[in-house]
Amino acid sequence: MIRRKWITNIFYIPAILLFLFFVIYPFIEGIRISFTNWNGYSQQYKYIGMANYLKMFQDENILTALKNTLIYGVGSTIIQNVLGLSYAILLNTKMKGRTLIRTVVYAPVMISGLVMGYIMYFLVQYDGGALNDILTALGVAPIDWLSDGNRAVIIMTLINSIQYVGISMVIYLAGLQNISSQYYEAAAIDGVSGWQQFRYITVPLLIPAISSSVTLNLIGGLKLFDVIQALTKGGPGYASHSLSTLVANQYFQATNAGYSATIGLFSFVLIMILSNIVTTYFNKKEVYM
Amino acid sequence: MKKKNWWLYLLGLVIIVVHFIPIYILLGVAAKSSMDITSKWILPGYVEWNNFKEALNGGNMLLALKNTAIITVFSVFFVTVIGAFSAYPLARNRSRLNTVVKSFILGIMMIPGLSVLVPLYSTMVKIHGISTYWGIIVVLVTFNLPMSIFLFSNFIAGIPVALEEAAFIDGCNPIQTFFKIILPQLKPVVASVVILTGVGCWNDYQFSLYFLQSPQYRTIPLAVASYFSQTANNMNAAAASALLGVLPVLLLFIFLQKYFIKGMVDSAIK
């Protein structure tokens, strides 16, 4: 009916130009750099074929970073969704003080992950840390929480989860409020128990919310960077690096830009594959009412 | 019924206490003098204002606040304007080209900024964008745009087309229609985009750390980070700098909570 409507397509040209210049071009450049031994600043470098890729698949540190990235991603996702849904169910009752709970749980989302990391340092530091004060009061020897790589990874997963659980909470709360109470009334008349109502009414109707929340948490956890920089910088040694911090580390500390670009591409492919698997899974599960 | 409720309130209380611990500890440490070696669980009966003075002067927090404000305001402005414009044709002209463009843009949302760190950094070096306001603004705008376009196009798709058709019949061309009919209706989604992007840019660390290396362009997260890594002996002033850095967003959040949460939910659920 309306002709020349395509003329409004000019509206997105600036955006496309930005993407081409600052995402697509660097992305392709990244592929090229990954085949070189560039150090990040020198004018001279050589093409070294697949050497960076071969190195990557034999590198112990990559294996650790990959394992950590999965723990950061999957661990945060599980904790945030279980806690977030529980909080949302609690807030969906008519109890007093709901707004206060929502405010306190959501407020840390506003804080930069880096600053949150530093705040948490006051809890986990060895000398005079808040956690160790409790241990001392209980007569237990204080623990150097971040000195062990595996423990540091778990602690940082917990910190990330507690900080961002508010996101899952508000997504689930919105989802719960969208479910018509008629379903529950009908189920109650049919004598369906509370757990079964949850399993057969709440969960299926929450699939869109679960899908959004899981995808967001997974991507957020897999990209984890700020907290690690604040607390361990990937240490002790390379034990708590994620792929993101390792990319930065290899470029700026190890001046190994070619290798860093290779790890960057690897982390990109990993996040793409995992988030696609999750999205496809939930799309199949979605019910239409 | 009443009897069952007490444990709900107990649970609520536990949740509040657990989630309040970080802020509580931060307040306590920021208020204490560095000589005070009482436990971090104990709030002092005084406020050591020198911590804040030192954070403002030694940590250069005022400069950091100014830099962060400039970068955030310009980034948010461009993300909102470019986002609203880009979304209109994507929501309204359902052509094959535009379907491709839209999925291209949503795909970019998935790319973690750091996976292109090396080439993006070397690109910025080539065009002299390191340690400049415009350099970091361009990067932040680019990586925040997809979400903005996504929110705007969902919102515009929900506006009935009847008004636009009436405008066409009255002789408006498509571009005039956008300005006169669509733009005035975008207020609620503009609020969401401004809040989401604003918080994201205010808190950005991963890009600022590499693209703003000169101290005169230091933003709040960078200032807090350098404080914490340099002054191991005065953690209290470092805590004061962290508190100063998070206070503006926390206060805004407390007063505009409804909009913050609405923005988050809109961006997550299609």
Side-chain angles (χ1 to χ4, degrees):
Chain A
M1 186 188 101
I2 300 142
R3 257 181 266 158
R4 296 206 310 124
K5 216 178 167 184
W6 57 266
I7 195 138
T8 55
N9 281 1
I10 57 170
F11 284 172
Y12 61 60
I13 290 175
I16 298 294
L17 289 178
L18 277 176
F19 293 141
L20 287 179
F21 212 80
F22 295 104
V23 182
I24 302 304
Y25 168 71
F27 189 76
I28 295 167
E29 257 301 273
I31 297 176
R32 189 181 67 83
I33 295 174
S34 76
F35 292 109
T36 70
N37 65 353
W38 190 42
N39 61 9
Y41 48 85
S42 147
Q43 300 291 330
Q44 277 156 11
Y45 54 83
K46 280 203 308 256
Y47 284 92
I48 52 170
M50 301 293 289
N52 283 327
Y53 290 86
L54 292 176
K55 180 179 167 193
M56 188 169 73
F57 290 111
Q58 291 159 353
D59 190 341
E60 292 270 324
N61 295 335
I62 295 282
L63 204 64
T64 315
L66 175 62
K67 191 193 77 192
N68 293 342
T69 304
L70 291 175
I71 297 176
Y72 293 133
V74 179
S76 307
T77 307
I78 294 172
I79 301 172
Q80 288 176 69
N81 283 283
V82 172
L83 271 188
L85 181 57
S86 317
Y87 290 3
I89 291 171
L90 185 72
L91 293 186
N92 202 30
T93 62
K94 295 211 162 52
M95 73 184 286
K96 288 193 191 92
R98 280 177 297 169
T99 325
L100 181 64
I101 298 179
R102 196 186 65 178
T103 311
V104 173
V105 174
Y106 197 80
V109 176
M110 299 299 118
I111 298 177
S112 117
L114 179 87
V115 173
M116 185 49 105
Y118 284 125
I119 296 175
M120 288 299 189
Y121 175 73
F122 295 130
L123 274 116
V124 299
Q125 75 188 106
Y126 181 70
D127 266 329
L131 283 182
N132 279 344
D133 280 353
I134 296 182
L135 291 185
T136 315
L138 294 173
V140 183
I143 296 172
D144 195 353
W145 296 97
L146 299 175
S147 66
D148 175 72
N150 288 330
R151 191 166 52 213
V153 169
I154 292 169
I155 288 173
M156 290 191 287
T157 308
L158 283 173
I159 293 173
N160 181 52
S161 309
I162 293 290
Q163 182 179 5
Y164 292 108
V165 66
I167 294 180
S168 301
M169 178 186 73
V170 298
I171 292 175
Y172 282 125
L173 190 57
L176 286 173
Q177 285 165 348
N178 274 337
I179 301 178
S180 155
S181 61
Q182 287 174 356
Y183 296 122
Y184 295 107
E185 285 158 16
I189 292 169
D190 291 344
V192 178
S193 74
W195 167 252
Q196 284 176 320
Q197 286 186 20
F198 179 74
R199 171 73 188 76
Y200 294 105
I201 300 175
T202 315
V203 172
L205 289 176
L206 271 185
I207 294 289
I210 300 177
S211 165
S212 316
S213 171
V214 166
T215 319
L216 272 178
N217 295 160
L218 190 65
I219 295 178
L222 291 174
K223 284 188 199 172
L224 197 65
F225 179 80
D226 293 15
V227 175
I228 307 172
Q229 289 291 348
L231 285 177
T232 66
K233 292 212 160 49
Y238 279 84
S240 65
H241 266 297
S242 70
L243 288 171
S244 300
T245 57
L246 198 59
V247 168
N249 171 282
Q250 288 300 309
Y251 190 176
F252 292 97
Q253 275 81 46
T255 57
N256 205 343
Y259 192 42
S260 169
T262 317
I263 305 170
L265 286 172
F266 176 59
S267 80
F268 166 73
V269 171
L270 179 82
I271 293 182
M272 275 306 214
I273 292 177
L274 286 178
S275 50
N276 270 320
I277 292 176
V278 170
T279 327
T280 331
Y281 173 79
F282 282 114
N283 280 343
K284 278 194 199 137
K285 287 251 160 184
E286 208 156 321
V287 285
Y288 297 94
M289 305 289 292
Chain B
M1 198 63 201
K2 270 266 146 63
K3 271 200 172 156
K4 246 178 100 183
N5 274 348
W6 67 267
W7 66 266
L8 272 187
Y9 284 93
L10 183 68
L11 198 63
L13 192 68
V14 171
I15 293 172
I16 291 176
V17 168
V18 167
H19 284 270
F20 194 65
I21 288 175
I23 301 287
Y24 172 85
I25 300 274
L26 178 67
L27 288 172
V29 179
K32 268 181 201 173
S33 128
S34 54
M35 299 302 180
D36 191 332
I37 50 158
T38 52
S39 164
K40 295 203 165 52
W41 294 104
I42 299 166
L43 285 180
Y46 59 92
V47 176
E48 179 65 45
W49 293 108
N50 276 333
N51 292 342
F52 293 91
K53 222 183 270 172
E54 200 168 306
L56 285 174
N57 300 331
N60 251 330
M61 280 305 278
L62 281 182
L63 178 68
L65 270 167
K66 189 192 96 184
N67 287 334
T68 312
I70 291 175
I71 292 166
T72 304
V73 166
F74 280 97
S75 306
V76 167
F77 174 78
F78 287 115
V79 168
T80 313
V81 173
I82 302 177
F85 275 81
S86 313
Y88 180 59
L90 295 177
R92 281 294 192 249
N93 305 348
R94 299 278 168 85
S95 63
R96 195 174 298 162
L97 170 70
N98 285 1
T99 318
V100 174
V101 170
K102 199 174 173 185
S103 45
F104 167 71
I105 291 172
L106 293 185
I108 287 179
M109 215 161 19
M110 301 287 227
I111 297 187
L114 280 173
S115 73
V116 291
L117 176 68
V118 179
L120 186 60
Y121 185 83
S122 63
T123 308
M124 291 309 272
V125 171
K126 267 182 235 158
I127 59 175
H128 307 290
I130 303 293
S131 290
T132 61
Y133 285 131
W134 68 262
I136 187 75
I137 291 170
V138 161
V139 171
L140 288 175
V141 168
T142 306
F143 281 90
N144 280 291
L145 251 184
M147 176 61 82
S148 158
I149 296 176
F150 173 74
L151 279 171
F152 276 114
S153 74
N154 279 356
F155 187 85
I156 294 173
I159 299 176
V161 277
L163 268 177
E164 286 154 81
E165 280 165 0
F168 281 127
I169 292 164
D170 290 345
C172 271
N173 65 38
I175 293 175
Q176 286 171 317
T177 317
F178 173 74
F179 280 98
K180 290 188 176 152
I181 309 289
I182 296 294
L183 219 47
Q185 298 188 64
L186 294 181
K187 254 184 230 155
V189 65
V190 165
S192 300
V193 171
V194 166
I195 285 171
L196 279 177
T197 318
V199 174
C201 295
W202 186 271
N203 288 335
D204 175 75
Y205 178 63
Q206 55 171 21
F207 289 123
S208 314
L209 175 60
Y210 302 108
F211 294 99
L212 294 174
Q213 295 183 340
S214 138
Q216 73 186 102
Y217 290 106
R218 208 173 261 167
T219 59
I220 289 171
L222 296 178
V224 173
S226 81
Y227 219 113
F228 268 85
S229 48
Q230 281 166 14
T231 52
N233 49 354
N234 195 353
M235 276 302 168
N236 302 85
S241 80
L243 187 60
L244 288 173
V246 297
L247 219 48
V249 252
L250 274 187
L251 287 178
L252 260 183
F253 167 68
I254 288 168
F255 291 114
L256 300 172
Q257 212 186 123
K258 213 174 62 187
Y259 300 97
F260 277 75
I261 290 175
K262 192 185 160 301
M264 182 66 237
V265 171
D266 286 349
S267 71
I269 297 180
K270 283 136 251 176

